[in-house]
Amino acid sequence: MKQIVVIGAGKVGSTIADMLALTGDYDVTVVDMGEAQIAALQVCARVKTAVIDVRDEQALAALLDGKYAVLSAAPYQLTVAIAQAAASAGVHYFDLTEDVASTRAVKALAAGSANAFMPQCGLAPGFISIVAHDMAKGFDTLDAINLRVGALPRYPNNALGYNLTWSTDGMINECCEPCEAIVNGSAAEVPPLQEIEQIIVDGVTYEAFNTSGGLGTLCETYGGRVQNLNYRTIRYPGHAAAMKLLLQDLKLRDRRDLLKEILETAIPATLQDVIVIYVTVTGHKAGRLIQETYTRQIFGRRIGTLHRSAIQITTAAGICTALDLQAQGVLPKSGFVRQEDVALSAFLGNRFGQVYADLPPALGPSVTAAA
């Protein structure tokens, strides 16, 4: 079995650990900085645990020594420290970060490395980039690539139209940082919470607005090839206005720890969520202007003995699929690996990626391992 370290004992980290360990192909150790988080961890019995301050590069590198890969499900502020430890230990590295600056630092570490560094392996960035790239390849020329994703409560009942379904730090960060885009053929940074639009999926009306980090490396990949490329988060109508009040009018963007405390005190979490994916590509095929749309809705389900939310499952499935494909030799073994390097057919055909095809993950041992 390949030895894997998962950093972060939260909702997503625990789901990653369960998914990998239940296959029987991976020997998984979950690491967290807090003893309370490790004590509260709910995973299958074969998962090991360790309490380590991951900001201590030497201590973390020592734990990683001899391992196959490290998967980071830690807050984005810790991304660079974990990637540096992976580089020191000479192990493959995967993460879920949506933070643009952190990804640039990981890319720099990957240059010339004998091991693979693959950031942004979740839902958005992550799977959304794989879908968009697969669709765009079918066009002769490209006019617009629009990526939209929402992790939403199924039964909202507050002014935000929102429940806490994933990282509060990540949610705040994406609404504060500049957003990469291609506008009229040129790379640009556009402000978050702006350019609100209305979209309808299966009869339900949503709003979508700029947030940071969802494009991954697509701006670099499609520079000079598309006129307009952007990512926007899907929410129920009114959410953007409420976030503007909190972040801009009340200036809580400058007091993020306070805003996190307020949200985690007042807004309940939920396992009753839905992931809404909406991608459109517009361009020319055989001389005609064509628009193609990809939509998907994904709900929570049981993994092992626990019911996991849709955002837990889709995020964990993204990074588990990346690891699985890399271990099988489908993806590069060294250097910086983009989400666009993953074929959509390979992703959806993977035992973890099947959750995006609305199938339960096939968590039994792989054919290769069983043989």
Side-chain angles (χ1 to χ4, degrees):
M1 292 193 294
K2 287 182 168 58
Q3 294 187 315
I4 306 299
V5 173
V6 176
I7 308 291
K11 301 181 185 72
V12 174
S14 63
T15 308
I16 294 168
D18 246 6
M19 280 188 165
L20 292 177
L22 287 168
T23 66
D25 293 338
Y26 295 102
D27 181 353
V28 182
T29 300
V30 176
V31 175
D32 202 283
M33 297 167 63
E35 293 184 6
Q37 287 84 349
I38 289 294
L41 186 66
Q42 292 183 293
V43 288
C44 69
R46 67 184 68 171
V47 174
K48 304 169 187 175
T49 61
V51 178
I52 290 180
D53 186 343
V54 298
R55 296 168 296 187
D56 184 339
E57 183 180 332
Q58 289 185 334
L60 182 56
L63 176 70
L64 296 181
D65 184 48
K67 303 299 193 295
Y68 181 78
V70 58
L71 280 60
S72 175
Y76 73 91
Q77 301 96 324
L78 299 174
T79 295
V80 177
I82 297 168
Q84 288 173 336
S88 297
V91 303
H92 300 301
Y93 171 87
F94 302 82
D95 74 34
L96 301 169
T97 189
E98 79 290 339
D99 185 64
V100 175
S102 298
T103 300
R104 290 170 180 164
V106 171
K107 187 175 182 180
L109 286 169
S113 173
N115 298 93
F117 282 75
M118 189 172 184
Q120 304 182 317
C121 295
L123 167 60
F127 177 73
I128 193 75
S129 299
I130 297 169
V131 170
H133 183 59
D134 182 80
M135 294 173 66
K137 288 189 298 185
F139 285 78
D140 300 323
T141 62
L142 292 165
D143 180 57
I145 304 175
N146 299 322
L147 294 78
R148 311 286 184 259
V149 172
L152 301 164
R154 296 176 66 184
Y155 311 110
N157 63 354
N158 55 51
L160 279 174
Y162 191 70
N163 289 101
L164 298 179
T165 60
W166 67 295
S167 164
T168 310
D169 288 310
M171 188 267 282
I172 295 170
N173 186 63
E174 72 174 11
C175 291
C176 292
E177 299 301 318
C179 313
E180 293 182 314
I182 295 175
V183 180
N184 296 326
S186 299
E189 286 190 343
V190 296
L193 300 174
Q194 300 298 316
E195 300 184 276
I196 300 173
E197 65 185 13
Q198 182 186 91
I199 62 174
I200 300 174
V201 180
D202 292 340
V204 179
T205 300
Y206 304 98
E207 68 180 21
F209 49 86
N210 296 338
T211 53
S212 176
L215 288 179
T217 55
L218 286 177
C219 283
E220 179 180 339
T221 299
Y222 283 94
R225 298 170 58 189
V226 67
Q227 286 298 298
N228 294 284
L229 167 67
N230 56 62
Y231 172 82
R232 292 171 187 163
T233 288
I234 296 173
R235 292 287 186 262
Y236 293 112
H239 182 89
M243 290 303 293
K244 284 182 183 178
L245 170 66
L246 293 169
L247 291 166
Q248 299 175 10
D249 297 346
L250 299 181
K251 302 187 185 303
L252 289 175
R253 66 174 300 159
D254 301 321
R255 304 180 69 186
R256 297 190 193 185
D257 288 342
L258 175 59
L259 178 56
K260 178 181 178 180
E261 181 182 351
I262 291 170
L263 292 174
E264 292 188 345
T265 300
I267 304 297
T270 185
L271 294 176
Q272 295 175 295
D273 63 339
V274 57
I275 298 300
V276 180
I277 300 170
Y278 182 91
V279 181
T280 62
V281 178
T282 305
H284 285 83
K285 289 185 176 183
R288 294 187 61 193
L289 183 64
I290 301 292
Q291 176 177 298
E292 294 183 355
T293 302
Y294 176 100
T295 66
R296 183 79 76 233
Q297 294 188 67
I298 303 166
F299 300 91
R301 66 190 67 177
R302 185 172 295 276
I303 301 292
T305 61
L306 295 176
H307 181 88
R308 304 284 189 177
S309 69
I311 188 61
Q312 287 174 269
I313 291 170
T314 51
T315 305
I319 198 168
C320 290
T321 299
L323 169 68
D324 218 29
L325 293 176
Q326 198 271 348
Q328 293 165 6
V330 176
L331 296 178
K333 292 286 189 180
S334 62
F336 186 77
V337 184
R338 308 170 305 160
Q339 297 303 311
E340 298 93 289
D341 294 325
V342 183
L344 180 61
S345 58
F347 188 102
L348 294 177
N350 181 267
R351 53 182 167 177
F352 301 111
Q354 288 178 357
V355 301
Y356 282 92
D358 206 25
L359 296 171
L363 298 181
S366 67
V367 173
T368 302

